[in-house]
Amino acid sequence: MSWESEAVHADAVQRVIAERRDIRDGFRPDPVDDATLTRVLEAAHRAPSVGLTQPWDFVIIRDPGRRARVHALAERQRRIYAASLVPSRAARFDGMKIEAIREAPVNIAVTCDPTRGGRNPLGRHSQPRTAPYSVACAVQNLWLAARAENLGVGWVSFFDERELNAELGLPEHLEVVAYLCVGHVEAFPPAPQLALSGWAHRRPLSWAVHNETYGRRGLPGEDTVNLVDETIAAIRPLDEAAMRDARDLQNRLTKPPGSLGVLEEVSVRLAGLAGQCPPPLPEPAAVAVFAADHGVHARGVTPWPQEVTAQMVANFLAGGAVVNAFARQVGAEVSVVDVGVAADLDPAPGLLPRKIAKGTADLTRGPAMTADQARRAVETGIEVARDLVSGGARCLLTGDMGIANTTASAALVAAFTGRPVAEVTGRGTGIDDATHAHKISVIAAALDLHRPAGRPPLEILAAVGGLEHAALAGFILGAAALRVPVVLDGVIAGAAALVAAALCPDALGACVAGHRSAEPGHSATVSHLGLHPLVDLELRLGEGTGALLALPLVQGAVRVLHEVATFDSAGVSDKPSRT
């Protein structure tokens, strides 16, 4: 074969891969002929498998009655899933077509037999899960071959496996890896349906490539990327033209100009962030609760035992904390990020295990974090922001958990604002006068040890900050780079915002101060950053609670630009201008 022919074949393969789609609607009723279906199955059967075990089987389902019964199983699971979603997600999901079990003329269940190959097939001894991995290769081959035959394929995952196995009469040792709907379609969409609907977005390749070891990012042939620098470089100032358009629109709406106060400025800034007027509605929203422990706890700055951090993480994951109640009220999704909890945490839905270290060191004896730990924690925050936005979030909210984290927060606030330690140190979880005075002396001693004035922001962060502060700073930077608003909670988020702003002042364009905390360091922080808190209820809980209470205000500020009529469109007389 000549190199020209090889290039043509390579281009064809790349095109088929690029144009593969998960099809959920638009199937035509005309049947798939047996010869075509056999070619597609032959391609699937050529897939690589560990030890050449070929652990797959294909169950062809054409019978309308059986497909109707399978559809009923999927629909029941769909309803269960919908009930687990926050309202904004549920409303969008309700309008989505997620399967074509009855419409597609052919259904194919691809099964896995983990016993195939006998006791110890080559390559599966140390990795028993390679059986379903091999079946996944067969599914991909089938999918690509179908696209080459101009057939659409849709993958259905809304099943209780035991119910589906019983309906298909599968032996107990088999598992269904994929249930596929196959047939001719009216057209192939230009992009995946989930992307077109705004449910989720594809991650760029550059986010997923690491050189030699995980964390050394860079495409082949390119230099290793510094994720923090790359993220900062992607942050841009607010778009002035979009902000002018938003101010003009606010002045033409059926209300006196300026009558919505701070909310008008919020809408203008979010238009500048998005680069369009009106900006996208900031929903669905996601709050990330970054959890970590602190070595300074050993200095007696709080009466609460350090174990409470892990216990509260468990409470978050069980849905029993205030952050969960407020999130349910406003329709936000909650994720908990273990970036530095001292205890080992069991896997659980909603937990993102990203532990950098089991807590920080005592900041009065030396740096709280190494430079590498601080950088990795910032990168973790960036990646969490990226993942949530890729998953469809249009507004991010900061949350935190960590016994003794107000001590590290006060140290950061004093270091970045230059305010006296006593002025920015609060009572945290409600300490008495003696403990408060001791807390101030501990922070003052730490700052005297590290002398942060004039040092680079990441050095200050590593010296006196917490792992959750570092991750929150990255979370803010990541949101700003993606031009998604981030609603800040209280003093812990404020301290992290000081770090983010020191690294990149334009990152503040993405920030909305959700509330004013009762912690004195927070007032100093929002004043230093020039932010205007939307809520002032003397809160000092953390967790993301203040940000969640402010979320409807942020959403309402943008909804005004989308839904309120102008004087012209409503036929309402405007106030005459002065001559």
Side-chain angles (χ1 to χ4, degrees):
M1 183 183 294
S2 67
W3 70 267
E4 291 92 348
S5 298
E6 291 177 349
V8 169
H9 282 290
D11 289 343
V13 169
Q14 292 289 349
R15 182 172 63 82
V16 168
I17 292 172
E19 295 179 359
R20 182 196 62 77
R21 296 286 180 267
D22 190 6
I23 305 296
R24 283 88 181 278
D25 55 17
F27 280 97
R28 303 202 309 259
D30 42 308
V32 178
D33 68 84
D34 292 339
T36 301
L37 186 56
T38 300
R39 288 196 297 273
V40 169
L41 293 171
E42 180 64 33
H45 196 57
R46 290 196 189 102
S49 60
V50 171
L52 202 59
T53 52
Q54 297 179 292
W56 49 74
D57 286 284
F58 308 100
V59 182
I60 309 300
I61 305 155
R62 289 192 175 100
D63 177 64
R66 170 150 285 164
R67 284 188 284 133
R69 292 192 298 273
V70 172
H71 173 267
L73 299 179
E75 183 60 25
R76 189 162 69 86
Q77 293 301 319
R78 172 196 171 106
R79 290 194 297 270
I80 293 172
Y81 175 70
S84 72
L85 298 173
V86 298
S88 60
R89 281 284 208 183
R92 185 171 295 180
F93 178 70
D94 187 55
M96 290 173 58
K97 175 73 172 172
I98 62 164
E99 48 78 21
I101 295 169
R102 293 179 298 184
E103 294 86 347
V106 178
N107 292 184
I108 303 175
V110 187
T111 68
C112 174
D113 182 351
T115 69
R116 190 163 294 156
R119 181 180 179 85
N120 192 19
L122 178 66
R124 208 168 70 197
H125 176 73
S126 59
Q127 296 190 53
R129 293 297 296 169
T130 52
Y133 301 159
S134 298
V135 176
C137 293
V139 173
Q140 183 73 339
N141 270 19
L142 186 156
W143 211 331
L144 295 174
R147 182 64 185 87
E149 298 280 358
N150 213 32
L151 294 174
V153 176
W155 190 324
V156 185
S157 55
F158 286 89
F159 289 115
D160 178 285
E161 189 171 334
R162 294 166 300 176
E163 294 177 343
L164 181 59
N165 286 14
E167 173 59 39
L168 300 181
L170 299 180
E172 289 187 1
H173 68 283
L174 296 189
E175 60 179 309
V176 176
V177 171
Y179 191 95
L180 308 173
C181 303
V182 182
H184 298 284
V185 294
E186 298 293 343
F188 288 89
Q193 180 185 350
L194 293 181
L196 292 173
S197 69
W199 184 271
H201 298 278
R202 191 180 296 279
R203 300 171 71 239
L205 176 63
S206 60
W207 292 9
V209 179
H210 307 256
N211 288 321
E212 303 293 348
T213 59
Y214 189 89
R216 294 186 59 200
R217 298 165 180 84
L219 292 173
E222 296 185 2
D223 293 336
T224 299
V225 172
N226 181 309
L227 182 57
V228 178
D229 290 346
E230 178 189 62
T231 303
I232 290 172
I235 298 172
R236 296 286 182 269
L238 299 179
D239 187 287
E240 293 292 343
M243 294 173 70
R244 284 195 300 272
D245 290 343
R247 290 192 182 97
D248 176 66
L249 179 55
Q250 283 282 3
N251 290 334
R252 291 186 290 110
L253 298 179
T254 49
K255 61 176 182 60
S259 58
L260 291 179
V262 173
L263 295 186
E264 293 193 13
E265 186 57 29
V266 170
S267 72
V268 168
R269 290 179 60 241
L270 295 192
L273 180 66
Q276 65 185 66
C277 177
L281 289 172
E283 57 183 49
V287 54
V289 181
F290 292 90
D293 279 306
H294 295 262
V296 73
H297 178 274
R299 307 296 294 169
V301 293
T302 173
W304 291 84
Q306 193 170 69
E307 292 79 7
V308 170
T309 301
Q311 292 165 357
M312 281 303 300
V313 167
N315 193 23
F316 299 150
L317 296 171
V322 178
V323 65
N324 304 107
F326 285 1
R328 285 189 290 267
Q329 173 71 24
V330 301
E333 298 172 339
V334 178
S335 298
V336 183
V337 188
D338 173 12
V339 72
V341 178
D344 293 323
L345 304 179
D346 294 330
L351 175 64
L352 307 182
R354 305 289 189 269
K355 198 188 299 286
I356 305 298
K358 290 188 173 184
T360 57
D362 181 353
L363 54 81
T364 67
R365 303 292 180 86
M369 295 173 278
T370 67
D372 181 66
Q373 287 172 338
R375 176 189 58 78
R376 287 168 55 205
V378 173
E379 291 176 345
T380 295
I382 292 170
E383 291 181 331
V384 171
R386 285 178 168 185
D387 288 346
L388 291 176
V389 173
S390 295
R394 293 295 168 268
C395 184
L396 302 181
L397 292 81
T398 68
D400 63 86
M401 181 62 218
I403 297 300
N405 62 8
T406 59
T407 299
S409 296
L412 287 170
V413 172
F416 280 100
T417 67
R419 300 282 189 94
V421 172
E423 184 180 315
V424 299
T425 303
R427 295 181 181 268
T429 50
I431 56 179
D432 58 24
D433 289 344
T435 307
H436 184 230
H438 174 64
K439 181 177 178 179
I440 291 171
S441 68
V442 166
I443 297 169
L447 294 178
D448 185 60
L449 172 67
H450 297 291
R451 300 190 178 278
R455 297 179 66 180
L458 288 181
E459 287 189 12
I460 299 173
L461 173 65
V464 298
L467 289 158
E468 75 270 50
H469 294 102
L472 282 164
F475 191 65
I476 294 165
L477 293 172
L482 295 168
R483 306 196 78 80
V484 170
V486 55
V487 184
L488 305 178
D489 195 42
V491 68
I492 286 81
L498 288 170
V499 178
L503 290 168
C504 180
D506 285 331
L508 286 176
C511 295
V512 178
H515 79 119
R516 183 186 303 276
S517 169
E519 285 287 299
H522 192 236
S523 290
T525 296
V526 293
S527 175
H528 184 84
L529 296 175
L531 298 175
H532 301 284
L534 299 182
V535 176
D536 190 348
L537 298 174
E538 301 181 6
L539 305 177
R540 54 180 176 84
L541 175 59
E543 301 181 7
T545 50
L548 285 163
L549 289 175
L551 177 62
L553 299 178
V554 178
Q555 293 171 332
V558 175
R559 193 170 291 278
V560 164
L561 295 181
H562 282 265
E563 298 181 8
V564 176
T566 63
F567 285 103
D568 289 342
S569 67
V572 176
S573 298
D574 195 356
K575 181 182 71 174
S577 59
R578 295 182 179 180
T579 58

